[in-house]
Structures are given as structure tokens and as C-alpha cells.
Amino acid sequence: MDRLKATTIKDYTERMLKVLGYIQGRLDEEISLDELAKVACFSPYHFHRIFRGMVGESVKEHIRRLRLERAASRLKNGSRSVTEIAFEAGYEAHEAFTRAFVDMFGVAPREFRSKQNNVAAEAVKLFQDDKEVEAMKAEIVNFESVRVVFVKHVGPYNECGKAWGKLCLWAGPEGLLGPGCKFLGLCYNDPEVTPAEKIRYDACISIDDKEVSPDGEIGVQTINGGSYAMTTHFGPYEKLSETYAQLCGQWVPSAGYEIAGRCSVEIYQNSPEDTEPEDLITDIYVPLETR
């Protein structure tokens, strides 16, 4: 196994606190994820999953919450109009601001101002739940390189079945669907960050040393091996992001490693074609930095 690049929880925490301070001082600006990743010296590839796992909310949710908390403070202590405060919070429509404010504080902005409510914003707690970190069954593994045939998919993850259909229809007659073949997914994007129509994903079937040549949409590639953090997700694919967040933003930092800027790999132990969503089993592999 490659020699892994080590770090500490203290280092992760200091870097994330730097990011949170950076955001706090720029609430009126548009801040990109690449910019925040650079501030933290994290790989931009998996930064959002690290942030969500450590902070407990996405970057977008965090900035939205801070802007609404600031708006509440200005309603309580200032005399600016609700419309002006809504615009400062990033809302172009008064109605949208009111809905968001009610969702967070339980009352409309004008009622909040009239009651002079106090805002007791809950401080961000990095590494949200130590019990969850301890309970997560993950490990560092040496992922062996594997040759695969694949079909590339661009678009929402819930539409990648089209790529799998094309791949399996081609692979069956070629004799590639026998015992021992693996069904893998190469995940290039985080669906909470990348617009759905731009998500990139490769549907892959392992071919070992079989002689296979590219054929139209069917490509051949090697998934490189190396050191990966691995855990198993049980349940619907729609909830994979929660497991990713816990692995990337909780378990990996606690284990003292750095996530590399490469795509993650998923290995599917069963198929949604004949398995109920709650019974699906997916092994997740996230690449780690090595020296």
C-alpha cells in the first residue's frame, strides 16, 4: 500500500474554521467552492463533501443561514425596511425572503421585528456527532487496479440507467456478464454542487484480462488502484450523499488522512432491477493522498 499523507483532526478543524471565518466576512459576495477549497488547502474535488460532513450543512445552506441570521439581527436592531434587508440577504423577491425567514424562525419578518425576538444562533460545531463517527464501519484499503468497459453518462444520476442499459446490452453477447464480473460506477461530481445536467458518471463492468476493444459508445479504461477510504452504504442511491458526507467530512479526518482530488468509485453488490431500494448495497471508495 502507498504511504499515505497523514494529517490531524486539529489541522482539519483549524482549516475549516478559517473557511467559516472567510465566509462570515464575505456574506455580501458570491464565493465559489474552488475559492473556499483554496482557503482551506483542501482538494476542490471533494471539498463540498468534507464541508458538509464537518459542518453539518452544505456551503449553500450555511451561507443562507448566516444571511438570514444577520437579517434577523438587522430587523431587531435597525430601522431599514424589510424589503431592503431581504435584498441584503440575497433575496430579490420579498415573498421568497418571507418564506425562508418563516421556515427558519417560525414567524414572518414584520412579526419578528414587532416582537423584538432575540436570535440565539446555534454555534457551528465541527465534527457533529462523535458517536456516528465511531459507529461508521470504514477502513483504509488498497484498491487494486481494474480494467473495465464503460459507457459515459452526462446528466442527473437518476438517469444513468440509460448508460447501464447500453452497456449491458453490448456486454451480454460479448460474454462479459458471467460470474465474477463487477459492476462499478466512476463518480466525477458531487450532485449537491454540480448542476444535474452537467454531472459526469461512467457505468463500468470489469473485464480483467479479456481482449476487448472500444466499440462506438463502449470505451475501455483502467481504474487506477491505490489507497482508498472504503465504507458500505445500505439503502437507496438517493441517500448516498449522506454516507459520502460522513465518510469524507467525519471519518477520514478522524482517521488522520487527506482526500485526493480524483473521482470516487462505487461497486454495486446488487441491482435495482431486482432489489428493493432499502436493500441495495453499495461499496464506496474515496481516494486518499499519498506522499
Side-chain angles (χ1 to χ4, degrees):
M1 185 180 292
D2 298 323
R3 185 181 177 191
L4 293 169
K5 184 177 180 180
T7 187
T8 64
I9 293 178
K10 181 175 181 290
D11 180 52
Y12 266 90
T13 302
E14 288 175 350
R15 289 152 70 184
M16 191 55 71
L17 287 173
K18 187 175 181 181
V19 169
L20 296 178
Y22 188 87
I23 292 172
Q24 184 71 57
R26 293 167 175 78
L27 287 180
D28 293 320
E29 303 174 17
E30 291 299 322
I31 310 173
S32 71
L33 289 176
D34 284 349
E35 184 180 353
L36 294 176
K38 187 175 181 180
V39 169
C41 297
F42 283 129
S43 162
Y45 214 93
H46 294 280
F47 170 75
H48 190 264
R49 285 169 172 157
I50 295 172
F51 185 98
R52 186 169 179 263
M54 291 181 68
V55 178
E57 55 192 354
S58 69
V59 171
K60 184 177 180 180
E61 290 168 343
H62 182 72
I63 292 174
R64 172 180 173 275
R65 178 171 64 81
L66 292 186
R67 285 175 173 171
L68 284 171
E69 288 174 356
R70 184 182 64 176
S73 179
R74 289 175 174 175
L75 283 167
K76 178 178 182 293
N77 300 309
S79 57
R80 277 175 284 190
S81 69
V82 172
T83 300
E84 186 178 358
I85 291 173
F87 184 76
E88 291 171 347
Y91 294 86
E92 296 182 3
H94 180 278
E95 294 78 10
F97 172 68
T98 297
R99 285 196 299 271
F101 197 92
V102 170
D103 286 343
M104 184 164 178
F105 297 102
V107 294
R110 295 186 190 281
E111 184 181 354
F112 180 92
R113 169 171 270 173
S114 67
K115 290 184 176 180
Q116 293 287 290
N117 284 339
N118 291 317
V119 180
E122 198 173 311
V124 172
K125 178 187 175 185
L126 301 182
F127 294 93
Q128 296 287 318
D129 192 334
D130 291 337
K131 291 182 179 178
E132 286 189 11
V133 177
E134 293 173 3
M136 186 175 211
K137 294 181 179 179
E139 58 182 328
I140 306 301
V141 300
N142 184 37
F143 184 85
E144 298 288 343
S145 297
V146 57
R147 288 181 69 242
V148 299
V149 288
F150 72 99
V151 169
K152 188 169 291 294
H153 166 76
V154 178
Y157 276 128
N158 62 10
E159 295 179 5
C160 67
K162 300 173 185 177
W164 280 108
K166 292 177 183 177
L167 182 61
C168 290
L169 282 174
W170 179 90
E174 296 293 325
L176 300 177
L177 298 180
C181 77
K182 295 180 180 178
F183 297 86
L184 309 91
L186 291 185
C187 307
Y188 295 91
N189 302 112
D190 181 346
E192 294 189 17
V193 176
T194 303
E197 69 275 9
K198 295 183 179 180
I199 286 173
R200 295 177 297 128
Y201 172 89
D202 292 349
C204 309
I205 296 174
S206 64
I207 56 174
D208 298 322
D209 297 324
K210 296 183 178 70
E211 291 296 327
V212 179
S213 299
D215 182 7
E217 290 186 81
I218 309 298
V220 180
Q221 65 178 315
T222 297
I223 302 174
N224 293 325
S227 296
Y228 283 70
M230 178 267 179
T231 192
T232 300
H233 171 82
F234 298 94
Y237 296 146
E238 289 77 9
K239 292 186 177 294
L240 275 165
S241 60
E242 297 175 12
T243 302
Y244 269 109
Q246 189 178 351
L247 181 65
C248 295
Q250 296 279 322
W251 193 89
V252 171
S254 296
Y257 299 111
E258 292 270 358
I259 296 175
R262 305 192 305 276
C263 65
S264 57
V265 182
E266 297 174 355
I267 298 181
Y268 310 105
Q269 301 296 344
N270 48 20
S271 169
E273 294 295 322
D274 55 13
T275 306
E276 292 298 321
E278 60 269 20
D279 295 323
L280 291 170
I281 302 173
T282 308
D283 292 334
I284 297 173
Y285 295 79
V286 172
L288 299 176
E289 287 282 6
T290 57
R291 293 190 185 281

